Amino acid sequence: MLVAVWLPIAIVTALHYGTSHEYHWVHDVLRRVYYLPIVIAALRSGLLGGLVSAAVVSAAYVPHAFVLVHHFDPARSIEKAMEILLYFIVAAVAGYLSDKERSRRSQLEDALDEQRRLTGQLVRAGRLSALGEVVAGIAHEVKNPLHSLAGTAEIIDPLIPKSADEHRMWEIHKQEIGRLQKVSERFLSFAKPVPIETTTLDLGDVARRVVELVGAQARQKSIALETRISAEPILVRGDLDALAQIGLNIALNAIKAIGDEGGTILLSVSTRVVDGEPGALMCIENSGPPVPEEQIERLFDPFYSGGDSTGLGLSISSRIAEQHGGTIEAKNTGMGVRFTLYLALNS
Ligand SMILES: Nc1ncnc2c1ncn2[C@@H]1O[C@H](COP(=O)(O)OP(=O)(O)O)[C@@H](O)[C@H]1O
Ligand SMILES: [Mg+2]
């Protein structure tokens, strides 16, 4: 603005005052050169910027046009007055058009963002349901024979004396059956999500529950667990256990991401207007390495894991959020990673 608007205005004004009134044509040209910075100001800063620059130009020009005898613009008064009026008209029209253009562009950008988000969600939902069916099928097939194995193991158990050499092997056998049962349970619960029971609850309570659940583990790894939860309740419709599950999954990932060096996790609950609707937010933010940008959407894919774990935590979380009519978003903050759960505010 300084180089494109204020400096040219100052230069033109100086030339105006410095040029003798014998050079009629120079004054005519200079008066019109003022339009340039006015239009630039209007294009850059909209209606307000245009009008302010027109006012500055007028204030600079009026003494020269009508008042100061020694530095007088020799043109006719009516011409000069019209010129000043035109400064304002040009500023207003250019400013108005640029404001309109700008608001249209931001609307388009918003619409594009929304479309991108919806497409992502759709792709994710499609992948989720297809995988869900396969996983449910396998888990189901595995579960029944496992049930028989566990049942027969119980019958055989007393027949193997504790003193026998084979008893240790037998223990391993039983343990592994138990482990397989747990895994297939988890896969089944991924495929068939548990129905939620919604009540009106304080999202702050959800965050406090998460802090309770991971507090000990964070301390053990010298992670500072900070919270920013308002005492004023932030009410949403939802299932406390299910929402705490989301927070727990994200917080446990955060602890894992921070590693053994220590760091911070910030848990905050707040409200914000999202797309014109009042929304409630739970943010869980951790210091630590960023997620490569191209992988950030994949975090929510079932079985996507950066390590050797099952990779179901975030996909289950995003499904619970969907059950609540909400969404989860992951973002690199520059200092670490932030997950945000958006829900509708219930007021
Ligand atoms: N806060 C985080 N910082 C860095 N990477 C993360 C974070 N949260 C999740 N991830 C990545 O997303 C992957 C998927 O997470 P999740 O769905 O919970 O599955 P899992 O924890 O079983 O691997 C993790 O393996 C990890 O690579
Ligand atoms: Mg996880």
Side-chain angles (χ1 to χ4, degrees):
M1 278 298 265
L2 181 72
V3 175
V5 179
W6 307 125
L7 206 62
I9 290 177
I11 291 171
V12 172
T13 305
L15 287 174
H16 246 320
Y17 283 82
T19 308
S20 150
H21 65 267
E22 286 155 32
Y23 299 102
H24 197 291
W25 64 274
V26 176
H27 288 279
D28 284 353
V29 169
L30 287 173
R31 215 166 40 233
R32 271 143 219 173
V33 173
Y34 275 140
Y35 285 113
L36 226 65
I38 291 176
V39 169
I40 291 173
L43 290 181
R44 283 221 177 156
S45 319
L47 187 60
L48 188 68
L51 290 178
V52 167
S53 70
V56 169
V57 165
S58 307
Y61 177 58
V62 160
H64 176 59
F66 302 110
V67 186
L68 294 176
V69 185
H70 293 298
H71 307 275
F72 201 61
D73 184 333
R76 288 193 345 210
S77 290
I78 178 78
E79 229 172 85
K80 292 184 283 194
M82 285 306 292
E83 204 80 56
I84 290 173
L85 184 65
L86 266 175
Y87 291 155
F88 282 95
I89 293 174
V90 165
V93 171
Y96 170 73
L97 288 178
S98 116
D99 276 348
K100 217 166 94 173
E101 170 65 24
R102 207 167 319 184
S103 90
R104 222 189 28 212
R105 196 175 326 153
S106 99
Q107 263 171 11
L108 264 168
E109 266 163 22
D110 285 352
L112 205 69
D113 276 352
E114 175 70 8
Q115 199 192 6
R116 253 187 237 132
R117 205 176 57 80
L118 285 177
T119 314
Q121 241 173 33
L122 249 148
V123 170
R124 208 188 296 161
R127 242 186 314 215
L128 215 68
S129 72
L131 259 167
E133 270 166 43
V134 175
V135 170
I138 296 173
H140 195 75
E141 287 304 313
V142 170
K143 226 182 121 178
N144 289 339
L146 269 178
H147 195 69
S148 320
L149 283 177
T152 47
E154 236 169 79
I155 297 167
I156 297 171
D157 196 46
L159 302 181
I160 299 180
K162 290 236 182 337
S163 54
D165 285 345
E166 290 80 9
H167 188 261
R168 227 191 74 72
M169 269 184 252
W170 178 241
E171 282 299 317
I172 294 174
H173 185 88
K174 284 192 301 180
Q175 261 172 28
E176 293 298 283
I177 290 176
R179 200 154 71 98
L180 272 176
Q181 274 180 320
K182 262 197 208 130
V183 170
S184 61
E185 272 319 318
R186 193 166 342 136
F187 279 24
L188 268 177
S189 84
F190 157 71
K192 288 207 198 75
V194 227
I196 53 168
E197 278 174 39
T198 46
T199 52
T200 298
L201 56 92
D202 177 8
L203 198 55
D205 283 342
V206 175
R208 280 182 273 267
R209 165 86 68 92
V210 175
V211 171
E212 251 171 44
L213 290 170
V214 298
Q217 206 170 332
R219 246 185 324 254
Q220 207 178 17
K221 295 205 146 193
S222 29
I223 293 171
L225 192 56
E226 292 168 14
T227 55
R228 219 172 282 159
I229 305 169
S230 70
E232 191 100 332
I234 293 178
L235 299 180
V236 296
R237 293 283 302 166
D239 182 316
L240 184 73
D241 290 333
L243 291 175
Q245 179 74 49
I246 296 180
L248 181 66
N249 287 344
I250 296 174
L252 287 177
N253 284 345
I255 291 176
K256 216 191 309 178
I258 289 174
D260 297 327
E261 252 87 279
T264 47
I265 294 178
L266 172 64
L267 222 142
S268 62
V269 173
S270 58
T271 59
R272 190 193 301 162
V273 176
V274 181
D275 300 334
E277 300 283 324
L281 280 68
M282 179 166 73
C283 289
I284 300 177
E285 192 172 334
N286 67 271
S287 61
V291 181
E293 278 304 326
E294 69 278 5
Q295 281 171 21
I296 223 153
E297 274 300 317
R298 292 197 55 208
L299 298 185
F300 298 96
D301 285 357
F303 306 108
Y304 173 82
S305 171
D308 51 5
S309 37
T310 47
L312 286 177
L314 289 175
S315 79
I316 290 175
S317 300
S318 92
R319 186 144 58 189
I320 296 174
E322 267 162 41
Q323 283 178 296
H324 284 80
T327 53
I328 306 179
E329 187 187 78
K331 251 200 187 118
N332 285 314
T333 59
M335 320 252 271
V337 183
R338 175 168 59 223
F339 285 83
T340 309
L341 166 70
Y342 295 93
L343 294 171
L345 194 64
N346 185 56
S347 47

